[in-house]
């Protein structure tokens, strides 16, 4: 196995692992705060039990996210030294600011956990809000580094005079950063909300009358419906921007091989890269033209405009894009159905709805991971888009020991995390 393959496997495996806990770290504190607010407003013990139980989940996911995120930062130097030598200083401020956000999250999480009887209810709730702000800021700030790799603004200055590069302008005023961050952050809330909703739907199937489980489902889907409803809009705007700065990625996502007008949107199908076609796909006339330009007859750049050596892996990117969109539509359907029942019918939740929510248990995470596959694999073969190829950045040392070390360590962390989370039970309160 070549160093390049080993390094990419390691990066993909560990990033996919870490992204789950990054999503939970961004969104779970909001669920915790909402449960806390509901308890303070209603005095219902169900919400207090949720709050005291969910704070344990937040603590575990925070710890695992911190460990896996630290491992990822080490990997950049171990596996991609040429890249870090040239561009590490440019991205450094994003990681430094992430560190500050991490400490804010850690400090206020400690205050929240141990402040139940030591702080006033309002101040205690404020600490919970700061946990959420710190967790979200940590993820939002570090994405500036990835956004720069996707769209390297000020690259001429970076290459000729790195000391003169304005870090704020380069990282945080990069237009790509805002599209990536907004869509990715909303995805964190959707993924977490439906993970929690699926768990409580499963519990309600076994114990339909439980007010505790109903409360947990209601809090989760109050976030889930908002996130799932906004995701299509943020995704649409993101896709339009991709058409301007990364047209090859957008073309790969839709397996669009030949530049043309009135281009259909392809759903599913079998990609034949050599023949440059997709068979068996559902075609929505003019759909891709509208997605890219808000015009059903607009021209959309195809992969034929790029050398084949600059193409991403079309098959993987196309299927990942379809999985992301399909899962997103299904979780939105489930959330609308749930709130339709709650707001208008006001009856016990239908078992078929609960079954659908159980199916949605992993789908938010699957959509989130698939979206990141589109983002990262769609950028290939570049580590810095249009500037530095991934093969030119990889270490010349043997990458296999690093790969197996990360696989084993992160695998052990996953097993430990699952065992710990399974042992968490809803707290009994007086």
């Amino acid at each position: 196995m070549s160093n390049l393959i080993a390094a990419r496997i390691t990066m993909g495996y560990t990033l996919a692992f870490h992204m789950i806990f990054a999503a939970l770290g961004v969104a779970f504190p909001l669920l915790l705060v909402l449960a806390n607010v509901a308890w303070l407003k209603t005095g219902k013990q169900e919400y207090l039990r949720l709050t005291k139980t969910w704070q344990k989940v937040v603590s575990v996911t925070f710890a695992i996210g911190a460990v896996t995120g630290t491992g990822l930062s080490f990997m950049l130097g171990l596996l991609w030294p040429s890249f870090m030598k040239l561009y590490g200083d440019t991205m450094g401020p994003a990681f430094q600011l992430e560190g500050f956000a991490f400490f804010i999250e850690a400090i206020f999480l400690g205050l929240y956990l141990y402040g139940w009887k030591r702080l006033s209810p309002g101040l205690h709730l404020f600490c919970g809000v700061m946990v959420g702000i710190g967790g979200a800021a940590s993820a939002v700030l570090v994405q500036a580094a990835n956004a720069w790799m996707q769209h390297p603004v000020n690259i001429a200055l970076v290459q000729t005079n790195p000391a003169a590069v304005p870090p704020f302008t380069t990282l945080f005023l990069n237009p790509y950063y805002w599209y990536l961050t907004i869509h990715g952050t909303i995805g964190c809330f959707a993924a977490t909300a439906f993970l929690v909703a699926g768990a409580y739907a499963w519990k309600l199937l076994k114990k339909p009358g439980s007010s505790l489980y109903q409360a947990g489902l209601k809090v989760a889907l109050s976030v889930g419906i908002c996130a799932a409803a906004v995701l299509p809009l943020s995704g649409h705007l993101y896709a339009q921007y991709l058409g301007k700065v990364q047209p090859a990625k957008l073309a790969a996502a839709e397996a669009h091989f030949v530049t043309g007008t009135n281009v259909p949107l392809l759903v599913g199908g079998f990609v034949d890269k050599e023949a440059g076609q997709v068979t068996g796909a559902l075609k929505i006339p003019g759909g891709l033209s509208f997605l890219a330009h808000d015009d059903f007859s607009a021209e959309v750049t195809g992969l034929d405009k790029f050398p084949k050596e600059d193409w991403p892996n079309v098959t993987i990117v196309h299927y990942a894009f379809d999985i992301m969109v399909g899962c997103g539509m299904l979780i939105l359907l489930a959330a609308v159905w749930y709130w339709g029942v709650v707001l208008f019918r006001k009856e016990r939740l239908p078992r078929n709805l609960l079954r659908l929510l159980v199916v949605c248990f992993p789908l938010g995470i699957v959509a989130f991971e698939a979206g990141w596959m589109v983002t990262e694999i769609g950028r290939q073969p570049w580590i810095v888009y249009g500037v530095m190829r991934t093969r030119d950045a990889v270490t010349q040392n043997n990458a296999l020991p690093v790969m197996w070390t990360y696989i084993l360590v992160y695998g052990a962390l996953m097993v430990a995390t699952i065992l710990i989370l399974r042992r968490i039970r809803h707290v009994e309160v007086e």
Side-chain angles (χ1 to χ4, degrees), residues 48-76:
L48 178 59
R49 293 183 66 189
L50 288 175
T51 303
K52 291 203 168 187
T53 303
W54 286 355
Q55 70 178 6
K56 296 181 179 181
V57 178
V58 170
S59 301
V60 172
T61 56
F62 168 78
I64 300 300
V67 171
T68 55
T70 302
L72 272 171
S73 64
F74 290 154
M75 191 188 306
L76 290 173

Side-chain angles (χ1 to χ4, degrees), residues 118-349:
R118 297 173 175 84
L119 302 174
S120 67
L123 185 56
H124 182 251
L125 179 62
F126 171 77
C127 292
V129 172
M130 292 303 297
V131 172
I133 291 174
S138 181
V140 165
L141 290 167
V142 79
Q143 286 185 65
N146 184 273
W148 186 84
M149 295 164 66
Q150 301 281 348
H151 183 50
V153 297
N154 290 336
I155 185 62
L157 188 60
V158 169
Q159 292 176 327
T160 57
N161 188 9
V165 174
F168 183 82
T169 301
T170 302
L171 292 172
F172 299 106
L173 294 184
N174 179 354
Y176 197 106
Y177 167 69
W178 292 99
Y179 289 100
L180 174 70
T181 300
I182 291 171
H183 190 59
T185 304
I186 296 170
C188 290
F189 288 103
T192 302
F194 282 92
L195 191 71
V196 175
Y200 281 95
W202 173 256
K203 292 176 180 295
L204 279 170
L205 282 172
K206 295 189 290 184
K207 193 175 179 182
S210 171
S211 59
L212 174 65
Y213 301 155
Q214 289 172 353
L217 186 59
K218 187 174 183 179
V219 171
L221 287 181
S222 65
V223 174
I225 184 66
C226 297
V230 176
L231 271 175
L233 175 60
S234 65
H236 176 66
L237 297 174
Y238 188 10
Q240 289 187 326
Y241 188 70
L242 281 182
K244 298 176 183 178
V245 299
Q246 289 187 331
K249 179 187 289 186
L250 181 62
E254 269 301 298
H256 176 47
F257 290 96
V258 181
T259 302
T261 58
N262 192 29
V263 181
L265 189 70
L266 303 181
V267 180
F270 300 95
V271 177
D272 186 339
K273 182 179 176 180
E274 298 305 318
Q277 63 182 9
V278 181
T279 58
L282 172 65
K283 296 183 179 181
I284 302 174
L288 184 56
S289 292
F290 181 80
L291 179 68
H293 302 289
D294 287 335
D295 181 351
F296 287 101
S297 61
E299 181 178 273
V300 181
T301 303
L303 289 165
D304 60 326
K305 294 295 185 180
F306 307 93
K308 279 200 171 183
E309 61 267 23
D310 291 347
W311 288 13
N313 189 312
V314 181
T315 303
I316 293 177
V317 175
H318 175 64
Y319 291 151
F321 183 75
D322 279 352
I323 289 170
M324 176 187 69
V325 173
C327 291
M329 291 297 101
L330 191 57
I331 63 176
L332 177 58
L333 171 65
V336 170
W337 186 4
Y338 170 83
W339 282 106
V341 171
V342 170
L343 295 177
F344 299 108
R345 294 173 60 182
K346 298 184 184 300
E347 61 183 39
R348 179 172 290 186
L349 297 175

Side-chain angles (χ1 to χ4, degrees), residues 18 51 86 92 250 260 330 357 363 399 408 424:
H18 176 68
T51 303
L86 291 173
L250 181 62
L330 191 57
L357 288 168
L363 293 189
L408 292 173
I424 294 177

Side-chain angles (χ1 to χ4, degrees), residues 367-385:
F368 187 67
E369 295 279 14
W372 274 100
M373 289 179 68
V374 174
T375 300
E376 297 304 303
I377 298 176
R379 186 184 67 225
Q380 298 302 319
W382 308 99
I383 190 168
V384 179
Y385 190 76

